[in-house]
């Protein structure tokens, strides 16, 4: 049993939804890449220090005092977890971009820029 054909508004709405999801994923990836980089910088700063040296860590909005020995393993673990999450998000983005591209091709959707470029190309002929 096939679904009824979609009207033009439904096709455009679905395309916009897909592009919004892609943009959302890109924003989240960018945010997490910055966070991963911050973790890497902290890790690099703490690694050469004496393990008994005081270190402060922000936990749930509260600054707590620990030692480098206590803080460093959690920073490393968090950075690795961020890397895994980023990997998952990148693959999700890739599949969502592919789905968007297929939808665009299937319904011959043209963005405003593409339509303008096509119009200029036809006028030049």
């Amino acid at each position: 049993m096939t679904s009824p054909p979609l009207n033009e508004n439904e096709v455009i709405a679905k395309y916009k939804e897909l592009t919004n999801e892609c943009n959302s994923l890109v924003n989240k990836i960018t945010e997490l890449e910055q966070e991963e980089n911050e973790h890497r910088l902290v890790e690099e700063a703490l690694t050469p220090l004496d393990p008994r040296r005081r270190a402060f860590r922000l936990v749930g909005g509260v600054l707590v005092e620990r030692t480098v020995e206590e803080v460093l393993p959690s920073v490393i673990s968090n950075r690795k977890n961020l890397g895994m999450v980023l990997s998952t998000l990148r693959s999700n983005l890739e599949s969502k971009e592919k789905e968007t591209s297929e939808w665009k091709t299937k319904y011959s959707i043209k963005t405003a820029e593409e339509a303008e470029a096509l119009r200029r190309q036809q006028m030049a002929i």
Side-chain angles (χ1 to χ4, degrees), residues 21 46-47 55 78 81 94 104 109 115 119:
E21 287 176 21
L46 290 178
T47 299
N78 287 347
N81 288 341
E94 190 177 302
K104 186 176 178 181
I109 298 172
R119 187 183 65 77

Side-chain angles (χ1 to χ4, degrees), residues 56-65:
F56 294 90
R57 182 168 182 225
L58 195 61
V59 179
V62 177
L63 196 60
V64 294
E65 183 179 341

Side-chain angles (χ1 to χ4, degrees), residues 12-47:
I12 292 171
K14 175 70 173 175
Y15 178 73
K16 285 182 179 179
E17 178 186 326
L18 290 170
T19 55
N20 286 340
E21 287 176 21
C22 287
N23 291 337
S24 174
L25 283 169
V26 167
N27 291 338
K28 191 64 177 173
I29 287 170
T30 303
E31 177 186 327
L32 290 179
E33 283 174 341
Q34 286 179 320
E35 198 167 320
E36 181 185 38
N37 190 42
E38 288 173 9
H39 277 73
R40 183 174 287 107
L41 291 173
V42 170
E43 180 182 340
E44 290 170 1
L46 290 178
T47 299

Side-chain angles (χ1 to χ4, degrees), residues 39-96:
H39 277 73
R40 183 174 287 107
L41 291 173
V42 170
E43 180 182 340
E44 290 170 1
L46 290 178
T47 299
L49 299 178
D50 177 21
R52 295 181 310 272
R53 182 175 175 165
R54 286 190 313 178
F56 294 90
R57 182 168 182 225
L58 195 61
V59 179
V62 177
L63 196 60
V64 294
E65 183 179 341
R66 300 278 187 252
T67 63
V68 170
E69 184 177 43
E70 294 169 326
V71 171
L72 189 56
S74 63
V75 170
I76 292 170
S77 172
N78 287 347
R79 183 185 52 77
K80 288 179 181 177
N81 288 341
L82 283 169
M84 290 187 297
V85 169
L86 279 167
S87 171
T88 302
L89 286 175
R90 285 183 186 115
S91 67
N92 289 351
L93 176 61
E94 190 177 302
S95 66
K96 191 58 70 174

